[in-house]
Amino acid sequence: MYSFLRRPAWLGLHIVVLAIVIAFVSLGMWQLRRLDERRTSNEVAAERLERDPKAWAGGVGDVPPEYTRLTVEGEFRSEEEVLLRSQVNLGRPGFDVLTPLYVDETAAILVNRGWVPLEFDSTPVAGVPPPTGKVAVSGFARYPLDGDTPIESLQGSIVARIDLDSLNRGVAGELASFYLEMTSGPVTEGATPIIDAAPDLTDGPHLSYAVQWFAFTAVSLVGYAALIRSTARRRAGLNRRRGLQPPLPS
């Protein structure tokens, strides 16, 4: 009844289905590994965020681990700030305001002051100016993701990602090799950027993606089994109508 499965066309189909199943299972396992990596990273980040903050004064060798809580004193220079596009707050699109904070005349750190809606689309952002004079801000250290997107025009611009090497060309001083996600600081009059005081330490979409890939695997196997069964029944029915004895199951 199932002898047709040994035919060359079906053998080729077996190989294709097997390759699809292996690919789906591999993608599901990869997502589970990503989930484990993210959970480990989140545990490290949570432990660092629970520590007492340390003062950062712009030392060349003072490069804290990511998510280290810091306090920094300096002066903002709004004329050198940029907007980070494609940021969302409560479902609303907008920008993050990135403003250099100078700890002295030459050393600065880029500070993410928070989210603003799309209408604040030019820099310096007049509607949400930083406080003037020397201020103290608190936050945690972040390091930019690697990327290949070129940034040609920087000062007074909108950027797609935080590239500190490129952003250095648009400021008078030297930016630190990390940036600060501000969690608290002095508030100016008028509208203020919305600060996200806590990093995203959730599991992310990896578990749901893994479940989807394993579901695709199950659908592929069940669908292929159904195709084989329906083909066998159709061939058996043709043999009966022709008065032929169907072959024994092999």
Side-chain angles (χ1 to χ4, degrees), residues 49-73:
L49 289 167
E50 290 176 356
R51 299 176 188 171
D52 293 333
K54 58 175 292 188
W56 187 83
V60 175
D62 190 0
V63 182
E66 192 166 30
Y67 294 108
T68 299
R69 291 175 60 204
L70 302 172
T71 58
V72 185
E73 291 187 357

Side-chain angles (χ1 to χ4, degrees), residues 29 37-38 45 61 67 85-86 98 117 162 164 177 188 218 222 237 249:
M29 296 303 296
E37 293 170 359
R38 177 150 184 167
Y67 294 108
R85 72 184 187 191
S86 304
L98 310 176
I162 299 178
L164 293 174
S177 59
T188 56
V222 171

Side-chain angles (χ1 to χ4, degrees), residues 101-122:
L101 180 71
Y102 279 74
V103 298
D104 56 38
E105 288 301 317
T106 58
I109 181 172
L110 192 68
V111 177
N112 184 349
R113 296 198 291 121
W115 178 91
V116 293
L118 286 177
E119 53 263 32
F120 296 94
D121 59 354
S122 62

Side-chain angles (χ1 to χ4, degrees), residues 5-188:
L5 294 176
R6 295 193 294 269
R7 293 183 176 180
W10 279 94
L11 292 176
L13 190 56
H14 298 338
I15 294 173
V16 171
V17 172
L18 178 61
I20 291 173
V21 168
I22 292 174
F24 286 169
V25 171
S26 298
L27 288 168
M29 296 303 296
W30 174 64
Q31 288 294 340
L32 291 179
R33 290 193 296 271
R34 291 287 306 278
L35 176 62
D36 288 339
E37 293 170 359
R38 177 150 184 167
R39 286 175 173 172
T40 300
S41 176
N42 286 346
E43 290 175 2
V44 173
E47 190 275 330
R48 290 173 180 170
L49 289 167
E50 290 176 356
R51 299 176 188 171
D52 293 333
K54 58 175 292 188
W56 187 83
V60 175
D62 190 0
V63 182
E66 192 166 30
Y67 294 108
T68 299
R69 291 175 60 204
L70 302 172
T71 58
V72 185
E73 291 187 357
E75 294 187 13
F76 282 112
R77 292 191 185 177
S78 59
E79 68 272 14
E80 295 180 349
E81 70 188 6
V82 296
L83 294 172
L84 179 65
R85 72 184 187 191
S86 304
Q87 304 303 303
V88 178
N89 179 268
L90 299 177
R92 294 179 62 196
F95 307 97
D96 279 354
V97 183
L98 310 176
T99 311
L101 180 71
Y102 279 74
V103 298
D104 56 38
E105 288 301 317
T106 58
I109 181 172
L110 192 68
V111 177
N112 184 349
R113 296 198 291 121
W115 178 91
V116 293
L118 286 177
E119 53 263 32
F120 296 94
D121 59 354
S122 62
T123 58
V125 185
V128 287
T132 58
K134 194 168 186 177
V135 297
V137 299
S138 299
F140 52 90
R142 291 299 310 272
Y143 287 84
L145 298 174
D146 294 332
D148 300 322
T149 304
I151 302 176
E152 301 298 336
S153 177
L154 296 171
Q155 190 167 345
S157 67
I158 297 174
V159 298
R161 62 182 176 84
I162 299 178
D163 181 342
L164 293 174
D165 290 336
S166 296
L167 289 170
N168 254 322
R169 300 200 298 268
V171 301
E174 182 72 19
L175 291 175
S177 59
F178 61 96
Y179 65 98
L180 189 74
E181 287 281 357
M182 192 173 77
T183 55
S184 64
V187 178
T188 56

Side-chain angles (χ1 to χ4, degrees), residues 193-207:
I194 297 175
I195 298 174
D196 187 1
D200 180 12
L201 298 182
T202 62
D203 288 345
H206 302 298
L207 181 59

